[in-house]
């Protein structure tokens, strides 16, 4: 999802400085794995529900992080996808949170109290609550820096980012810095190469080759945790409308063949893509079929609508649950909402707030339904 940067999150009063922390070493049994077309978490092979919070790693109040993860855990959601990136072109002042400053003359990875130590706290808090994290390394969109920040530093274009040697060298340095911090943590569900990578008009080999090379590199750093691409799922058989095509340089079926990508993900925003909300079940079914053929799990990683959340999104959840034994393994709605010490968290229209009637429908009822799926 394309998000808008919230300066207020970076300007909250900074909590006590955290030391650079390596989370507790996890046993092999506690690491989430792919098991055919299902996921196994803590020894349980099942269908799992989850959500997204791009902003949780940018919070500067530890109590807010704990509050959010308490609510997510208590709601029965098992997987949380977070932004593991926050790129800037120049170092911001004050307590603003940033993770990496990109520059052709020398980039800086911020391991300080307003840098990756904020992500450290999210990982530690998730460990305590047994919530599993998908941690993403870069954004296609310009929010929180994204590929555009790399282009500003190293030249080229966003389409050329995937083959830009200088940009890729720094991207790998950043991956190494993040993976090394949490390589032994059971809180990591999976590493994710990018949020919604696209290469408009490119041959699909561009993203395929980049995904193959990058995921193989990550496996040299961490052979235990899963890896996924983070794409929207474009390029899948089933219909002729825009999302099913490969005009964005993404071929979902082809990318499932990348050896070191452990599962497939896809997103769903009919309103943004110019299709009707009834598009949802067919889109889910098409991806489930592709994942079943590849014998890899499928995750509906992002989905949302700007209004009528329960009536629109509940049929999508039901469609995914109906395919729990034939390709679908999990779904993560966009996005989690909560009441923080600074007020309400980001509301982009898709947000489902903790304690709301929408949450009863799309979280409580869905989690209960998932317990009997498959």
């Amino acid at each position: 999802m394309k998000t808008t940067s919230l300066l207020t999150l970076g300007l909250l009063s900074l909590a006590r400085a955290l030391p650079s922390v390596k989370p507790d070493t996890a046993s092999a049994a506690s690491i989430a794995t792919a098991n055919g077309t299902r996921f196994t978490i803590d020894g349980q092979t099942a269908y799992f529900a989850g959500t997204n919070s791009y902003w949780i790693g940018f919070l500067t109040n530890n109590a807010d992080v704990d509050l959010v993860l308490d609510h997510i855990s208590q709601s029965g959601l098992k997987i949380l996808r977070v932004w593991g990136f926050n790129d800037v072109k120049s170092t911001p002042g004050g307590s603003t949170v940033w993770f990496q400053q990109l520059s052709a003359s020398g980039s800086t990875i911020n391991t300080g109290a307003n840098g990756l130590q904020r992500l450290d706290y999210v990982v530690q808090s998730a460990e305590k609550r047994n919530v599993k994290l998908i941690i993403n390394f870069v954004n296609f969109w310009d929010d929180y820096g994204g590929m555009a920040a790399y282009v500003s530093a190293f030249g080229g274009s966003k389409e050329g980012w995937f083959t830009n040697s200088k940009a890729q060298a720094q991207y790998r340095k950043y991956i190494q810095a993040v993976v090394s911090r949490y390589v032994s943590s059971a809180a990591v569900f999976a590493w994710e190469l990018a949020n919604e990578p696209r290469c408009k008009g490119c041959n699909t080999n561009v993203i395929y080759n980049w995904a193959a090379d990058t995921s193989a590199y990550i496996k040299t750093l961490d052979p235990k945790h899963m890896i996924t691409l983070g794409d929207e799922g474009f390029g899948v058989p089933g219909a002729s409308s825009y999302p099913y095509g490969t005009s964005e340089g993404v071929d979902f079926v082809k990318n499932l063949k990348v050896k070191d990508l452990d599962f497939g993900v896809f997103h769903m925003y009919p309103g943004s893509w110019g299709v009707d909300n009834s598009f949802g079940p067919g889109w889910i079914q098409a991806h489930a079929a592709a994942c079943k053929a590849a014998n890899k799990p499928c995750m509906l990683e992002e989905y949302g609508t700007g209004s009528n959340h329960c009536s629109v999104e509940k049929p999508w959840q039901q469609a995914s649950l109906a395919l729990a034994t034939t390709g679908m393994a999990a779904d993560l709605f966009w996005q989690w909402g909560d009441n923080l010490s600074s007020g309400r968290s980001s509301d982009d229209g898709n947000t489902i707030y903790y304690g709301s009637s929408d949450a009863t429908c799309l979280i409580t009822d869905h989690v209960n339904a998932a317990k009997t799926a498959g």
Side-chain angles (χ1 to χ4, degrees), residues 148-163:
Y150 283 85
V151 169
S152 178
F154 304 114
S157 64
K158 285 169 75 170
E159 288 75 21
W161 181 88
F162 300 95
T163 55

Side-chain angles (χ1 to χ4, degrees), residues 47-339:
Y47 184 101
F48 296 99
T51 188
N52 290 261
S53 173
Y54 75 87
W55 42 263
I56 193 170
F58 312 147
L59 296 175
T60 54
N61 184 335
N62 291 349
D64 283 334
V65 175
D66 289 340
L67 173 85
V68 170
L69 283 163
D70 275 339
H71 289 166
I72 288 172
S73 175
Q74 291 163 8
S75 296
L77 299 174
K78 196 65 176 178
I79 305 169
L80 175 65
R81 180 169 172 256
V82 304
W83 280 186
F85 58 83
N86 191 349
D87 303 315
V88 297
K89 293 183 282 188
S90 59
T91 305
S95 60
T96 300
V97 175
W98 60 280
F99 294 167
Q100 179 178 220
Q101 185 259 322
L102 293 161
S103 171
S105 61
S107 300
T108 301
I109 296 172
N110 182 9
T111 59
N114 66 335
L116 287 174
Q117 288 181 36
R118 297 313 311 147
L119 193 58
D120 288 347
Y121 193 81
V122 173
V123 174
Q124 292 171 18
S125 186
E127 281 180 341
K128 293 175 182 176
R129 292 154 180 83
N130 205 25
V131 173
K132 307 299 182 180
L133 304 173
I134 297 176
I135 299 177
N136 198 301
F137 296 125
V138 70
N139 202 2
F140 169 80
W141 307 104
D142 297 351
D143 303 286
Y144 301 98
M147 295 179 188
Y150 283 85
V151 169
S152 178
F154 304 114
S157 64
K158 285 169 75 170
E159 288 75 21
W161 181 88
F162 300 95
T163 55
N164 183 323
S165 59
K166 292 181 179 179
Q168 291 303 307
Q170 184 58 37
Y171 169 64
R172 288 195 178 196
K173 287 180 182 177
Y174 186 70
I175 288 173
Q176 193 278 332
V178 174
V179 171
S180 66
R181 295 177 87 83
Y182 317 124
V183 66
S184 298
S185 175
V188 175
F189 182 81
W191 307 114
E192 187 163 87
L193 305 192
N195 175 51
E196 301 188 337
R198 298 179 175 201
C199 190
K200 192 172 186 65
C202 296
N203 186 292
T204 57
N205 283 336
V206 172
I207 286 181
Y208 175 89
N209 291 337
W210 164 78
D213 292 345
T214 306
S215 58
Y217 169 68
I218 295 171
K219 286 294 186 184
T220 69
L221 303 174
D222 178 6
K224 297 182 297 183
H225 290 108
M226 293 186 289
I227 304 171
T228 195
L229 179 52
D231 59 304
E232 292 151 285
F234 298 145
V236 67
S240 59
S241 59
Y242 156 73
Y244 285 89
T246 58
S247 63
E248 301 290 353
V250 179
D251 185 331
F252 182 81
V253 176
K254 182 177 182 176
N255 294 335
L256 280 175
K257 297 176 183 177
V258 174
K259 177 176 66 71
D260 292 313
L261 294 181
D262 296 285
F263 60 98
V265 302
F266 63 102
H267 299 178
M268 187 165 64
Y269 296 101
S272 298
W273 294 344
V275 294
D276 190 82
N277 287 329
S278 60
F279 160 95
W283 182 244
I284 294 167
Q285 187 173 16
H287 287 84
C291 283
K292 181 182 178 182
N295 196 34
K296 290 184 176 182
C298 249
M299 174 186 289
L300 176 53
E301 187 182 55
E302 286 190 29
Y303 59 94
T305 183
S307 61
N308 302 317
H309 296 116
C310 182
S311 61
V312 172
E313 296 175 51
K314 190 177 184 67
W316 300 345
Q317 292 181 335
Q318 291 171 332
S320 188
L321 285 174
L323 298 166
T325 59
T326 52
M328 293 305 301
D331 70 84
L332 282 58
F333 69 86
W334 183 280
Q335 65 169 326
W336 181 268
D338 222 318
N339 290 306

